[in-house]
Amino acid sequence: MKFLSLVSNEWIKIFSRTRTWVFIALPILIVLGVAIYGKVNEDDTVKSNWKQEVTQQNKDLKNQIAEAKKDGSPKFVAESLENEYKQNQYALKKDISPYETTSWKFMKDMAPLSSLLGLFVIVVASDIVAGEFAKGTIKMLLIRPYSRWKVLLSKLVATLAFAFFLWVILVAATWLFGSIFYGFGGMDQPYLSMVDGKIHEKLISEYVLANMGLEFIEFAVTVFLAFMVSTLFYSSSVAIGISLFLTFAGNALVLFISSKSWAKYTLFPNMDLTQYLDEGLQVVKGMSLPFSLGMLAIYSALFLIITFAVFQKRDVKA
């Protein structure tokens, strides 16, 4: 119970900040705005004549594929375009309209918004320890009858709980607004993906649920990384800046090292677990979902070992 009181105290601290409520409200407002905009600008003509639209897309894709191969673009660019072309061909053959919007299709389309939540989680995780040192309030925590590792663990648990809370808010908002504007059905809507070079047809609800589960694992690893950085620095602004830089620089670095044989053993190529839901999204080859989960487990353990080792010996005189 004493440990739960520590976690509860950290939870209260997180929600006492104005920025926390901004982090909660902003995704909801974005989802609502996108839902309204999409509904208002919905083109029934395109929906009814979707085969002509897809046929034209494939003509454009042929040109883009030829250009990608000609100008020496990374191999995955041409492969991604070719996969999209094949999926369009399959949709035409099986009469599966990609323009049919349902609540579950809306949830899938809003999935990239999780990247914004990732930034919010980084800010909270990067500040939760460094902020205590910057303000000098860490002394008040450590004079309590709790071991250092329990104090740090309570902050980690509170941050993970906040990440989960944000994730639930996003999922609930996308489902609710998607259902209000596009109907409460759509679980059995087909979704096309590439597996082992072949097109597979699955339920979109299956894809969305798998996507959500993998995204939360990514959230957790992001928390561990930002939490480690927060423990290493006294300044919360420096910790936040470094965490954000590592995230953006890491994603950009993947494009430069994608052709290297050792690239798959680095952190950031393995951070995008949703790439395994659609083969056409993979940038670094030679990886699989079990492999990436294993690498993330290793990196997470390393981050946590460094975090707790440093905090145990941290000077609190500053």
Side-chain angles (χ1 to χ4, degrees):
M1 293 301 293
K2 291 182 178 180
F3 177 73
L4 291 179
S5 67
L6 281 175
V7 175
S8 176
N9 183 54
E10 295 301 329
W11 186 256
I12 292 171
K13 287 181 185 178
I14 291 174
F15 279 87
S16 67
R17 304 288 294 271
T18 302
R19 72 183 183 197
T20 299
W21 297 100
V22 174
F23 292 165
I24 295 171
L26 190 57
I28 296 175
L29 293 175
I30 292 175
V31 172
L32 177 58
V34 171
I36 293 174
Y37 179 84
K39 191 64 178 178
V40 170
N41 293 277
E42 196 171 34
D43 193 338
D44 292 330
T45 303
V46 172
K47 290 178 66 176
S48 59
N49 298 316
W50 68 269
K51 288 187 176 182
Q52 290 90 324
E53 292 290 327
V54 173
T55 300
Q56 181 57 49
Q57 282 182 18
N58 272 4
K59 291 180 180 178
D60 295 336
L61 283 170
K62 278 187 175 181
N63 295 330
Q64 293 173 23
I65 292 169
E67 290 177 5
K69 291 180 177 180
K70 184 179 180 180
D71 61 18
S73 298
K75 188 178 179 180
F76 74 87
V77 174
E79 290 178 348
S80 179
L81 293 172
E82 288 173 346
N83 287 338
E84 185 178 352
Y85 177 85
K86 292 176 182 178
Q87 288 176 357
N88 283 346
Q89 289 290 83
Y90 186 94
L92 289 169
K93 181 180 179 181
K94 297 292 184 177
D95 198 29
I96 301 174
S97 172
Y99 292 96
E100 188 65 34
T101 303
T102 64
S103 58
W104 287 86
K105 174 69 161 51
F106 181 74
M107 291 177 72
K108 175 195 169 294
D109 292 342
M110 294 304 298
L113 194 57
S114 63
S115 298
L116 178 63
L117 297 193
L119 297 182
F120 295 162
V121 169
I122 285 174
V123 171
V124 173
S126 299
D127 180 60
I128 198 166
V129 177
E132 298 278 11
F133 281 97
K135 298 173 185 175
T137 53
I138 190 67
K139 297 178 182 178
M140 301 300 295
L141 281 175
L142 297 183
I143 62 175
R144 295 181 179 182
Y146 301 110
S147 57
R148 282 196 173 200
W149 72 266
K150 282 188 177 180
V151 171
L152 188 61
L153 182 61
S154 68
K155 290 180 175 294
L156 177 60
V157 171
T159 307
L160 285 172
F162 178 69
F164 181 72
F165 177 75
L166 273 184
W167 177 77
V168 170
I169 289 292
L170 177 62
V171 171
T174 52
W175 177 81
L176 178 61
F177 293 133
S179 298
I180 291 174
F181 289 97
Y182 300 106
F184 285 85
M187 286 189 69
D188 58 348
Q189 183 180 8
Y191 176 78
L192 305 180
S193 62
M194 297 293 294
V195 180
D196 297 327
K198 297 180 180 179
I199 298 175
H200 283 246
E201 186 177 331
K202 64 177 72 173
L203 297 180
I204 195 169
S205 54
E206 177 186 338
Y207 176 90
V208 170
L209 291 173
N211 187 79
M212 290 190 299
L214 294 176
E215 281 181 346
F216 187 70
I217 294 175
E218 296 170 13
F219 270 13
V221 179
T222 300
V223 168
F224 297 148
L225 173 61
F227 200 72
M228 179 188 69
V229 174
S230 181
T231 306
L232 294 175
F233 295 91
Y234 285 103
S235 170
S236 58
S237 58
V238 171
I240 292 172
I242 290 177
S243 295
L244 292 175
F245 172 77
L246 287 174
T247 301
F248 285 111
N251 292 332
L253 182 64
V254 172
L255 297 177
F256 291 99
I257 67 173
S258 60
S259 61
K260 306 297 182 181
S261 60
W262 47 263
K264 63 181 182 180
Y265 298 108
T266 58
L267 173 64
F268 292 102
N270 293 287
M271 281 290 285
D272 182 14
L273 296 176
T274 58
Q275 65 182 304
Y276 300 112
L277 297 178
D278 195 324
E279 197 173 78
L281 300 177
Q282 293 185 35
V283 177
V284 178
K285 300 300 181 182
M287 302 190 307
S288 64
L289 180 57
F291 176 85
S292 288
L293 289 174
M295 291 303 301
L296 291 182
I298 292 172
Y299 276 106
S300 295
L302 179 62
F303 295 154
L304 291 176
I305 290 171
I306 293 173
T307 299
F308 280 86
V310 170
F311 190 76
Q312 283 291 103
K313 299 179 180 181
R314 191 71 182 269
D315 181 11
V316 296
K317 294 180 180 180

